[in-house]
Amino acid sequence: MIKYFLILLILFLSCNTKKSIEDNYIKNLVQETPNDIPLVFGEDIVSKKGRFEMGITISPNGKNIAFGVAHESKPEETCIYLMSFANKKWSSPDKTILPNNINTFFPMFSPSGDELYFAKSNEKHETDLWVAKYQNSKIIDPRPLDSIFNSKSREAGHGKSKIGSFYFTSNRNDQNQCCGDIYYSKLESDGYKTIQKVNELSSGFDEESLYLAPDENYIIVQSWKTEFKSKHDLYISYRTKDSLWTTPKRLNNKINSKEIEQRPFISSDNKFLFFSRMSSVKEKGKDVYESDIYWVNTKSIFKPYPYNTEIKYSIKQNEQIQLKLPNDLFKDVDDENLSFEAYLENNIELPEWIKFDSNNLSFRGIWKSKEPIKIIIIATDTSGNNTEFKFQLAEETL
């Protein structure tokens, strides 16, 4: 009985550790936690009026924050600030902690929290990717990444997964140097050897920054597309069972406004999205630009997505249908409790001769159709987000 009690106590403490990161650390820095409307993060501390904040990252344990500040005319003021949580309070933002902290931006902690990746401009290259060790709230040995990652063009947004996969944006292959794409390198036993363009995530527009989930199951990309008549917006894509990326979907209009949304980051508990929003106002006839860091709850961001869509089944006229769909047909980043419905196209009810069991994702009945039928499965999470998947059933032909 004592052993059993100790196990329960350990489980209780471990389950509450992640919660304490939000309660004890983040809430010491902000007055209000957002729901589905983005709020300015760390007002007057991280986000200061008149200062141009662009991009934020938080260490996995929630105790360290790094964010970028840009200045159009003073390169030495384009730099990275760091702050740490100790003795129940946050340190003041400090830009002296990073050596030679000039023209640096895009900070991103590694999934382990012991590395800080960032971008840095120099006279030879537009922007290179760098990495430094991060130990005891100190930056050690900053250095550029291997030449395989850095070109003479712009390398910008970047993210590393738990298994070492590295994603980044670059305009190395663009003749006009206007538009970045997304590239990827797999960590081999002897390091990084090849770079591949990720076509599913790249477009003819400019992809500049990204956030890669540590488990590599989703990615959020900043892209300047024209389909919504807005500026840079944030898009999300999910990784399927066959390691393909789904078509990036634009996040909702509460997040993507008519302004520029960029530099996404997700907290380690998947509860909050952080991003930068750049806006302009007229003051005395001149455009005045402002950029602040915002955060928002992810309940309306993460939706069910088709994960394992391999469905093989043969049907014959007047024979029994016993079709079981994969249990992992859909996945959801932050919700395992999905509900399912099945319809024909145009929201038409299924014919009487086929029944759908939503509890185990199966169909049964007697096949009566001489024509193929298209079935739509709708998965809905507990926050009301839903996604559909279409597939076709047809009689087997000899």
Short mmCIF file of all heavy atoms in Angstrom, two decimals, residues 152-180:
data_model
loop_
_atom_site.label_atom_id
_atom_site.label_comp_id
_atom_site.label_asym_id
_atom_site.label_seq_id
_atom_site.Cartn_x
_atom_site.Cartn_y
_atom_site.Cartn_z
N LYS A 152 24.97 32.34 -49.61
CA LYS A 152 25.17 33.78 -49.71
C LYS A 152 23.84 34.52 -49.60
O LYS A 152 23.81 35.74 -49.51
CB LYS A 152 25.85 34.12 -51.03
CG LYS A 152 27.29 33.62 -51.12
CD LYS A 152 27.92 34.02 -52.45
CE LYS A 152 29.35 33.51 -52.53
NZ LYS A 152 30.00 33.88 -53.82
N SER A 153 22.73 33.78 -49.64
CA SER A 153 21.40 34.37 -49.60
C SER A 153 20.88 34.41 -48.17
O SER A 153 21.64 34.24 -47.21
CB SER A 153 20.45 33.57 -50.49
OG SER A 153 20.90 33.57 -51.84
N ARG A 154 19.58 34.59 -48.03
CA ARG A 154 18.97 34.73 -46.72
C ARG A 154 18.53 33.38 -46.17
O ARG A 154 17.70 32.69 -46.74
CB ARG A 154 17.74 35.64 -46.83
CG ARG A 154 17.00 35.87 -45.51
CD ARG A 154 15.62 36.45 -45.76
NE ARG A 154 14.70 35.46 -46.31
CZ ARG A 154 13.50 35.74 -46.80
NH1 ARG A 154 13.10 36.98 -46.86
NH2 ARG A 154 12.72 34.78 -47.26
N GLU A 155 19.10 32.97 -45.06
CA GLU A 155 18.58 31.86 -44.27
C GLU A 155 17.93 32.48 -43.03
O GLU A 155 18.54 33.29 -42.35
CB GLU A 155 19.68 30.88 -43.87
CG GLU A 155 20.03 29.86 -44.92
CD GLU A 155 20.74 30.46 -46.13
OE1 GLU A 155 21.69 31.24 -45.94
OE2 GLU A 155 20.33 30.14 -47.27
N ALA A 156 16.69 32.08 -42.76
CA ALA A 156 15.97 32.82 -41.72
C ALA A 156 15.31 31.87 -40.72
O ALA A 156 15.96 31.34 -39.82
CB ALA A 156 14.95 33.75 -42.37
N GLY A 157 13.99 31.64 -40.86
CA GLY A 157 13.28 30.80 -39.90
C GLY A 157 13.89 29.41 -39.80
O GLY A 157 14.37 28.87 -40.79
N HIS A 158 13.85 28.83 -38.61
CA HIS A 158 14.50 27.54 -38.43
C HIS A 158 13.90 26.81 -37.24
O HIS A 158 13.34 27.41 -36.32
CB HIS A 158 16.00 27.74 -38.19
CG HIS A 158 16.29 28.81 -37.19
ND1 HIS A 158 16.38 30.14 -37.53
CD2 HIS A 158 16.48 28.78 -35.85
CE1 HIS A 158 16.61 30.87 -36.45
NE2 HIS A 158 16.67 30.06 -35.41
N GLY A 159 13.99 25.49 -37.27
CA GLY A 159 13.49 24.67 -36.17
C GLY A 159 14.14 23.30 -36.19
O GLY A 159 14.42 22.75 -37.26
N LYS A 160 14.37 22.76 -35.01
CA LYS A 160 15.00 21.45 -34.87
C LYS A 160 14.06 20.53 -34.10
O LYS A 160 13.44 20.94 -33.12
CB LYS A 160 16.33 21.60 -34.12
CG LYS A 160 17.12 20.31 -33.98
CD LYS A 160 18.42 20.58 -33.21
CE LYS A 160 19.27 19.32 -33.08
NZ LYS A 160 20.51 19.59 -32.31
N SER A 161 13.95 19.27 -34.54
CA SER A 161 13.09 18.31 -33.86
C SER A 161 13.90 17.51 -32.84
O SER A 161 15.12 17.61 -32.77
CB SER A 161 12.44 17.37 -34.88
OG SER A 161 13.39 16.46 -35.40
N LYS A 162 13.19 16.67 -32.08
CA LYS A 162 13.86 15.86 -31.05
C LYS A 162 14.85 14.87 -31.65
O LYS A 162 15.83 14.51 -31.00
CB LYS A 162 12.81 15.11 -30.23
CG LYS A 162 11.98 15.99 -29.31
CD LYS A 162 10.96 15.16 -28.55
CE LYS A 162 10.12 16.02 -27.63
NZ LYS A 162 9.07 15.22 -26.92
N ILE A 163 14.58 14.40 -32.86
CA ILE A 163 15.48 13.43 -33.50
C ILE A 163 16.54 14.13 -34.35
O ILE A 163 17.31 13.47 -35.04
CB ILE A 163 14.71 12.40 -34.34
CG1 ILE A 163 13.94 13.08 -35.49
CG2 ILE A 163 13.78 11.58 -33.47
CD1 ILE A 163 13.32 12.09 -36.46
N GLY A 164 16.57 15.46 -34.30
CA GLY A 164 17.63 16.20 -34.98
C GLY A 164 17.30 16.73 -36.35
O GLY A 164 18.13 17.42 -36.95
N SER A 165 16.12 16.42 -36.89
CA SER A 165 15.75 16.97 -38.19
C SER A 165 15.75 18.49 -38.10
O SER A 165 15.26 19.07 -37.12
CB SER A 165 14.36 16.48 -38.61
OG SER A 165 14.33 15.08 -38.71
N PHE A 166 16.28 19.13 -39.13
CA PHE A 166 16.40 20.59 -39.10
C PHE A 166 15.69 21.19 -40.30
O PHE A 166 15.97 20.84 -41.44
CB PHE A 166 17.88 21.00 -39.11
CG PHE A 166 18.12 22.42 -38.69
CD1 PHE A 166 18.20 22.74 -37.35
CD2 PHE A 166 18.27 23.43 -39.62
CE1 PHE A 166 18.40 24.06 -36.94
CE2 PHE A 166 18.49 24.74 -39.25
CZ PHE A 166 18.56 25.06 -37.89
N TYR A 167 14.73 22.09 -40.03
CA TYR A 167 13.99 22.78 -41.08
C TYR A 167 14.35 24.25 -41.03
O TYR A 167 14.53 24.82 -39.95
CB TYR A 167 12.48 22.63 -40.86
CG TYR A 167 11.92 21.26 -41.20
CD1 TYR A 167 12.21 20.15 -40.41
CD2 TYR A 167 11.10 21.08 -42.31
CE1 TYR A 167 11.70 18.90 -40.72
CE2 TYR A 167 10.59 19.83 -42.63
CZ TYR A 167 10.89 18.75 -41.84
OH TYR A 167 10.39 17.51 -42.15
N PHE A 168 14.44 24.89 -42.21
CA PHE A 168 14.76 26.31 -42.23
C PHE A 168 14.26 26.92 -43.55
O PHE A 168 13.95 26.20 -44.50
CB PHE A 168 16.26 26.54 -42.08
CG PHE A 168 17.11 25.99 -43.21
CD1 PHE A 168 17.60 26.84 -44.19
CD2 PHE A 168 17.42 24.65 -43.27
CE1 PHE A 168 18.38 26.35 -45.23
CE2 PHE A 168 18.20 24.14 -44.30
CZ PHE A 168 18.69 25.00 -45.28
N THR A 169 14.17 28.23 -43.58
CA THR A 169 13.76 28.92 -44.80
C THR A 169 14.99 29.54 -45.46
O THR A 169 15.93 29.97 -44.78
CB THR A 169 12.73 30.03 -44.51
OG1 THR A 169 13.33 31.03 -43.69
CG2 THR A 169 11.51 29.45 -43.81
N SER A 170 14.96 29.58 -46.78
CA SER A 170 16.08 30.13 -47.53
C SER A 170 15.60 30.56 -48.91
O SER A 170 14.70 29.95 -49.47
CB SER A 170 17.20 29.09 -47.68
OG SER A 170 18.24 29.57 -48.53
N ASN A 171 16.20 31.61 -49.45
CA ASN A 171 15.92 31.99 -50.84
C ASN A 171 17.13 31.71 -51.73
O ASN A 171 17.36 32.39 -52.72
CB ASN A 171 15.47 33.45 -50.94
CG ASN A 171 16.50 34.43 -50.39
OD1 ASN A 171 17.51 34.03 -49.83
ND2 ASN A 171 16.24 35.71 -50.57
N ARG A 172 17.89 30.67 -51.40
CA ARG A 172 19.10 30.33 -52.13
C ARG A 172 18.86 29.97 -53.59
O ARG A 172 19.75 30.13 -54.43
CB ARG A 172 19.82 29.16 -51.43
CG ARG A 172 18.99 27.88 -51.35
CD ARG A 172 19.74 26.79 -50.57
NE ARG A 172 19.99 27.21 -49.21
CZ ARG A 172 20.86 26.59 -48.41
NH1 ARG A 172 21.52 25.53 -48.83
NH2 ARG A 172 21.03 27.01 -47.18
N ASN A 173 17.68 29.46 -53.91
CA ASN A 173 17.40 29.04 -55.28
C ASN A 173 16.50 30.00 -56.03
O ASN A 173 16.00 29.68 -57.11
CB ASN A 173 16.76 27.64 -55.28
CG ASN A 173 17.75 26.56 -54.86
OD1 ASN A 173 18.95 26.71 -55.05
ND2 ASN A 173 17.25 25.49 -54.26
N ASP A 174 16.27 31.16 -55.47
CA ASP A 174 15.39 32.13 -56.12
C ASP A 174 16.23 33.16 -56.87
O ASP A 174 17.05 33.85 -56.27
CB ASP A 174 14.50 32.83 -55.09
CG ASP A 174 13.47 33.72 -55.74
OD1 ASP A 174 12.50 33.18 -56.30
OD2 ASP A 174 13.66 34.95 -55.70
N GLN A 175 16.03 33.26 -58.18
CA GLN A 175 16.85 34.15 -58.99
C GLN A 175 16.66 35.61 -58.63
O GLN A 175 17.58 36.42 -58.72
CB GLN A 175 16.53 33.93 -60.47
CG GLN A 175 16.93 32.54 -60.98
CD GLN A 175 16.62 32.35 -62.45
OE1 GLN A 175 15.98 33.19 -63.07
NE2 GLN A 175 17.09 31.24 -63.02
N ASN A 176 15.45 35.97 -58.21
CA ASN A 176 15.18 37.36 -57.87
C ASN A 176 15.45 37.67 -56.40
O ASN A 176 15.33 38.82 -55.98
CB ASN A 176 13.72 37.70 -58.20
CG ASN A 176 13.42 37.54 -59.68
OD1 ASN A 176 14.23 37.92 -60.52
ND2 ASN A 176 12.27 36.96 -59.99
N GLN A 177 15.80 36.64 -55.63
CA GLN A 177 16.10 36.81 -54.21
C GLN A 177 14.95 37.43 -53.42
O GLN A 177 15.15 38.12 -52.43
CB GLN A 177 17.37 37.65 -54.03
CG GLN A 177 18.62 36.97 -54.54
CD GLN A 177 18.97 35.73 -53.74
OE1 GLN A 177 19.35 35.82 -52.58
NE2 GLN A 177 18.86 34.57 -54.36
N CYS A 178 13.73 37.19 -53.87
CA CYS A 178 12.59 37.78 -53.17
C CYS A 178 11.87 36.79 -52.28
O CYS A 178 11.28 37.15 -51.29
CB CYS A 178 11.58 38.36 -54.17
SG CYS A 178 10.59 37.10 -55.01
N CYS A 179 11.92 35.53 -52.68
CA CYS A 179 11.00 34.56 -52.08
C CYS A 179 11.72 33.36 -51.49
O CYS A 179 12.41 32.63 -52.21
CB CYS A 179 9.98 34.09 -53.13
SG CYS A 179 9.01 35.45 -53.80
N GLY A 180 11.54 33.17 -50.20
CA GLY A 180 12.15 32.03 -49.54
C GLY A 180 11.28 30.79 -49.64
O GLY A 180 10.06 30.87 -49.77
#
